Amino acid sequence: MNGNIAGGNTIEKNLESIGDILVVMSGKGGVGKTTVAVNLACALGARGKSVGILDADFHGPNVPMMLGMEGGTLMADGESIVPMMAFNGMPVMSTAFLISNPDIPVIWRGPMKMQVINQFLGQVRWGKLDYLVIDLPPGTGDESLSIAQQIPRAKAIIVTTPQDVALLDSRKAVTFARQLKMPVLGMIENMSGMECPHCGKDIDLFKTGGGERAAAEMGVPFLGRLPLDPRTVVSGDSGKPIMAGDLGSSVAKAFSEIVERIEDKGGN
Ligand SMILES: Nc1ncnc2c1ncn2[C@@H]1O[C@H](COP(=O)(O)OP(=O)(O)O)[C@@H](O)[C@H]1O
Ligand SMILES: [Mg+2]
């Protein structure tokens, strides 16, 4: 990558060939943003849409791992950056591709992060896409701010878990999006209940229904619930997303319903 900073016009022009831009965000870490972003992209891809993923979580760039793409090396010619391709032909860009040792943490201050975001937005050759899914870090810091400011047409998907602390943070995420005039496509309640593997009964480990209530209170659409399911962890760790495999499981069915709602609202 070179040191040129892509300006607003360059970014707009570079993203011209992309239909909808969906930003997956949350107020809190570990709620399942990356899981949602990767599975959403795979599900849209499986429905015949062309989809790319931008991993904008510099401190925890987990998208490549969840897609089984570790160890890739990036190609750049100074002008443009060629994204890496996932197993399903989906273009992916992540800071993980810039760092040779995954154990080395990224230590970048705000201006450096903004410069890298601008390069990702202005110089990555995405090609023609129906959707670009952007995975954000938790909270409302530099990365979220840059993305919201640089892509005025981006739409937010807010992931939350049912506990009160997570809900409080997700309300902040809604307020953040509103302040930046980023439309909120809706809220997803993840880790919402779980089916007991022994008796089949539902267990509300982190309570359930709070996300829907918070969405109603904040006046944003509720996109659906995803159950807590050990298969989600296994698929994330092994680089084989749930939505790229057997779609018969309860978690895959719940995901499919959410993706349908997103497609309806997204306009593509
Ligand atoms: N519905 C779910 N059921 C079980 N585990 C989940 C679920 N959603 C996410 N996880 C797991 O929780 C951890 C954190 O998820 P991740 O997507 O990395 O969150 P975030 O990007 O918000 O930090 C991962 O190990 C992931 O596999
Ligand atoms: Mg993440």
Side-chain angles (χ1 to χ4, degrees), residues 28-52:
K28 196 173 164 287
V31 296
K33 280 178 302 304
T34 308
T35 304
V36 165
V38 162
N39 280 289
L40 171 61
C42 288
L44 289 168
R47 284 159 179 265
K49 305 288 183 189
S50 48
V51 191

Side-chain angles (χ1 to χ4, degrees), residues 65-128:
M65 181 189 166
M66 289 200 193
L67 286 168
M69 300 174 73
E70 286 158 303
T73 315
L74 205 66
M75 305 246 295
D77 61 10
E79 284 299 313
S80 50
I81 305 163
V82 182
M84 304 285 291
M85 294 294 166
F87 61 90
N88 56 357
M90 189 164 71
V92 180
M93 186 61 216
S94 170
T95 50
F97 301 143
L98 307 175
I99 293 149
S100 51
N101 180 347
D103 294 333
I104 298 176
V106 161
I107 306 169
W108 291 342
R109 287 192 194 278
M112 177 66 179
K113 289 186 193 170
M114 284 192 226
Q115 183 175 334
V116 176
I117 291 229
N118 285 355
Q119 286 194 310
F120 280 3
L121 298 178
Q123 290 176 246
V124 172
R125 249 190 270 150
W126 294 106
K128 196 168 161 18

Side-chain angles (χ1 to χ4, degrees), residues 33-34 57 60 62 135-136:
K33 280 178 302 304
T34 308
D57 188 346
N62 297 332
D135 183 30
L136 281 186

Side-chain angles (χ1 to χ4, degrees), residues 5-18 21 114-115 117-123 126 146-147 149-153:
I5 302 178
N9 284 342
T10 321
I11 290 175
E12 220 170 279
K13 195 155 182 356
N14 194 49
L15 301 180
E16 218 169 48
S17 57
I18 299 175
I21 301 185
M114 284 192 226
Q115 183 175 334
I117 291 229
N118 285 355
Q119 286 194 310
F120 280 3
L121 298 178
Q123 290 176 246
W126 294 106
S146 286
I147 299 265
Q149 285 173 334
Q150 299 285 17
I151 324 175
R153 65 191 176 95

Side-chain angles (χ1 to χ4, degrees), residues 14 36 39 43 69 96 102 125 142 145 181 200 243 253 260 267:
N14 194 49
V36 165
N39 280 289
M69 300 174 73
R125 249 190 270 150
D142 293 314
L145 194 61
K181 302 202 168 32
M243 296 310 283
K253 283 186 186 145
E260 269 167 37

Side-chain angles (χ1 to χ4, degrees), residues 152-177:
R153 65 191 176 95
K155 296 168 190 162
I157 294 171
I158 295 172
V159 182
T160 188
T161 51
Q163 308 95 313
D164 294 338
V165 275
L167 292 168
L168 183 70
D169 289 329
S170 66
R171 288 193 191 100
K172 282 187 202 153
V174 174
T175 308
F176 170 84

